[in-house]
Amino acid sequence: MSISQIAASVRESATLALNEKAAILRAKGEPLIHLGGGEPKAKAPMDALLAAAAMLNSGEIRYTPSAGTPAMKAAAIRYTQEHYGRKVTAKNVIASSGAKQAIMVALRAILDPMDEVVFPAPYWVSYPEMVRLCGAVPVPAVPEDGTLIPTAEDIISRCGSQTKAIILNSPNNPSGLMYPRDVIREVVEFCEKEGIYLITDDIYHKLIFDGKKWTNPCEFAKDLGDTSKLIVVNGVSKAYAMTGFRIGWAIGNPKLIEVMSNIQSHETSGPAGLLQVGAVAAINGVQSSVENLRTQLENRKNILMSKLRAFKGVRVQEPDGTFYAFVDFSAYEKNSLKLSTFILDKVQVVTVPGVAFGTEGHLRISYCGPEKDVIEGIERIKWALDPDSPNELQMGNRKLVRDWA
């Protein structure tokens, strides 16, 4: 059997084996705690559910335009005006089957083989593989000071003659940290000066804590017209807890959106009409569910931080938003895949190894699940790693005895 060079370049997920183990344990009825999840457990807004149910009951569920329905585009236009202060038209909007597809279609539209795409590390696990799927070259920008926050120089210094685009994700998955305002400004200005595309993945921008303010990239752009190379991506998955609806969108210049729409029309056709109806209702409806979710996540973040601060040898920078913390466990084990596997094997807690995000020695811990899972999950991890912990642990109906150093 032969496969393409591009397909061969795409790497297996570092979490695949862990997820398989977790599924087996869960199927056996084991007391598994999942701190690796990427979706809020809140219910989708009632407006979205009612609108989708009404359409389903009508039986009129048909193909949609490849770039999204007029109502979906209108909702994205309204959203962009409200949150970015940017007036756009339907020609600037493409709706896709999730923000991930919007990014993928954008990359297919702008990249040629061997072009380079720069993004700060730690990064979302899909960025490098999406770039490779286009035959292009992913270029992680690792902060020189060893932190999780890049400077503008960290990013710009990785750009060269082959650089076609930069991707920024702030607040960031996996760290939950926001990039400083000056970093966003300098990167926007650099991209405009050099004619480089800038893709901003803003999927978490509504989930920000402690009264902090998100930085709007459009604020610094001088060119928001027909030659703009700023591509703004968003969706309903995170803030509206509508992960299964798979609706996202991108805002860009009209020619780019036209090309993206052509590509999408051949890949998947238009996003599902039923799900676009739900997304439109969520965006245009009562917004209290977003604030309720944000508040719940902030409370769980505070609980997680208090638990981690009592954990000797652990270092963590408090998240500004999202529902992730990127925790440095290198004092215990620098190989994050080995550590994540050990924790799953010993105390049945799922975490995501930092190597998947381009940063070793860390684990991504999610706090989007139940509060009790956050508390017990960290207690189990502490018991497994901290030699000063008691020798026994009650886990479900079993008493565990630590027989390792």
Side-chain angles (χ1 to χ4, degrees):
M1 180 179 124
S2 63
I3 59 173
S4 71
Q5 291 182 1
I6 288 178
S9 74
V10 177
R11 299 169 184 171
E12 180 185 34
S13 169
T15 63
L16 184 62
L18 291 171
N19 286 337
E20 288 176 354
K21 279 188 177 182
I24 292 169
L25 289 170
R26 195 183 294 278
K28 289 180 176 179
E30 297 287 355
L32 185 79
I33 292 178
H34 209 308
L35 298 184
E39 58 181 346
K41 301 306 179 187
K43 290 184 178 179
M46 186 57 65
D47 288 326
L49 298 177
L50 291 174
M55 185 178 190
L56 191 62
N57 288 333
S58 76
E60 288 297 318
I61 303 168
R62 309 297 180 189
Y63 287 132
T64 64
S66 61
T69 63
M72 184 66 234
K73 286 194 168 196
I77 289 168
R78 179 175 177 268
Y79 191 98
T80 304
Q81 172 70 55
E82 179 180 353
H83 296 288
Y84 294 84
R86 179 179 175 184
K87 293 182 179 180
V88 296
T89 71
K91 292 182 178 180
N92 297 105
V93 183
I94 179 172
S96 298
S97 299
K100 178 184 279 189
Q101 188 186 22
I103 296 171
M104 188 72 237
V105 174
L107 292 174
R108 288 196 185 280
I110 66 177
L111 293 179
D112 288 313
M114 303 312 295
D115 280 343
E116 295 180 353
V117 178
V118 176
F119 41 81
Y123 46 75
W124 182 39
V125 295
S126 290
Y127 292 153
E129 310 315 319
M130 294 164 91
V131 172
R132 289 189 183 98
L133 280 168
C134 297
V137 180
V139 181
V142 179
E144 286 289 334
D145 62 3
T147 68
L148 304 177
I149 296 288
T151 64
E153 181 59 25
D154 288 328
I155 299 167
I156 292 170
S157 66
R158 300 293 286 150
C159 296
S161 60
Q162 295 296 109
T163 303
K164 184 63 73 70
I166 294 173
I167 304 176
L168 295 182
N169 172 219
S170 178
N172 172 259
N173 174 8
S175 71
L177 301 174
M178 285 193 292
Y179 300 150
R181 179 178 173 84
D182 284 348
V183 171
I184 304 291
R185 175 182 57 78
E186 289 184 48
V187 172
V188 170
E189 293 173 351
F190 171 78
C191 287
E192 284 196 335
K193 178 184 175 184
E194 300 297 327
I196 295 172
Y197 283 97
L198 174 59
I199 301 173
T200 64
D201 180 355
D202 298 337
I203 194 71
Y204 299 99
H205 82 106
K206 283 190 170 186
L207 301 179
I208 294 176
F209 310 137
D210 305 315
K212 295 176 181 177
K213 300 296 183 183
W214 168 74
T215 299
N216 170 14
C218 296
E219 180 182 342
F220 309 112
K222 294 183 175 64
D223 180 8
L224 290 174
D226 290 349
T227 59
S228 171
K229 289 194 171 182
L230 177 61
I231 306 169
V232 173
V233 176
N234 223 304
V236 298
S237 291
K238 307 302 184 181
Y240 292 97
M242 294 171 65
T243 52
F245 279 67
R246 306 309 306 132
I247 296 295
W249 61 87
I251 307 295
N253 75 61
K255 180 59 180 176
L256 174 67
I257 295 300
E258 180 183 357
V259 173
M260 290 172 63
S261 300
N262 290 340
I263 294 170
Q264 185 164 283
S265 71
H266 294 293
E267 284 190 337
T268 58
S269 299
L274 177 68
L275 307 181
Q276 288 185 74
V277 164
V280 169
I283 294 167
N284 293 338
V286 177
Q287 300 297 295
S288 57
S289 67
V290 177
E291 178 57 20
N292 289 341
L293 175 60
R294 192 204 64 77
T295 301
Q296 291 171 17
L297 292 173
E298 183 172 331
N299 289 337
R300 288 181 204 143
K301 180 264 298 182
N302 291 336
I303 291 169
L304 176 65
M305 289 300 106
S306 68
K307 287 289 181 183
L308 289 172
R309 289 187 184 112
F311 198 151
K312 186 171 65 176
V314 165
R315 295 183 297 175
V316 61
Q317 192 166 346
E318 187 163 348
D320 299 314
T322 74
F323 33 78
Y324 312 113
F326 204 47
V327 187
D328 184 350
F329 284 94
S330 58
Y332 294 95
E333 173 58 63
K334 291 182 170 60
N335 185 315
S336 59
L337 182 56
K338 182 178 178 181
L339 178 62
S340 190
T341 302
F342 175 83
I343 290 170
L344 179 58
D345 287 344
K346 296 301 183 182
V347 291
Q348 298 183 5
V349 178
V350 180
T351 57
V352 187
V355 67
F357 306 98
T359 306
E360 266 293 16
H362 291 66
L363 299 178
R364 191 189 75 174
I365 293 178
S366 171
Y367 46 91
C368 61
E371 182 179 308
K372 64 179 179 61
D373 282 0
V374 174
I375 295 170
E376 185 178 349
I378 299 302
E379 288 176 349
R380 288 191 196 180
I381 294 173
K382 187 175 188 298
W383 180 81
L385 298 180
D386 187 351
D388 294 331
S389 294
N391 202 44
E392 296 180 347
L393 174 74
Q394 190 71 34
M395 189 175 76
N397 296 323
R398 298 200 308 274
K399 181 178 287 186
L400 301 184
V401 178
R402 189 171 54 218
D403 56 0
W404 58 91

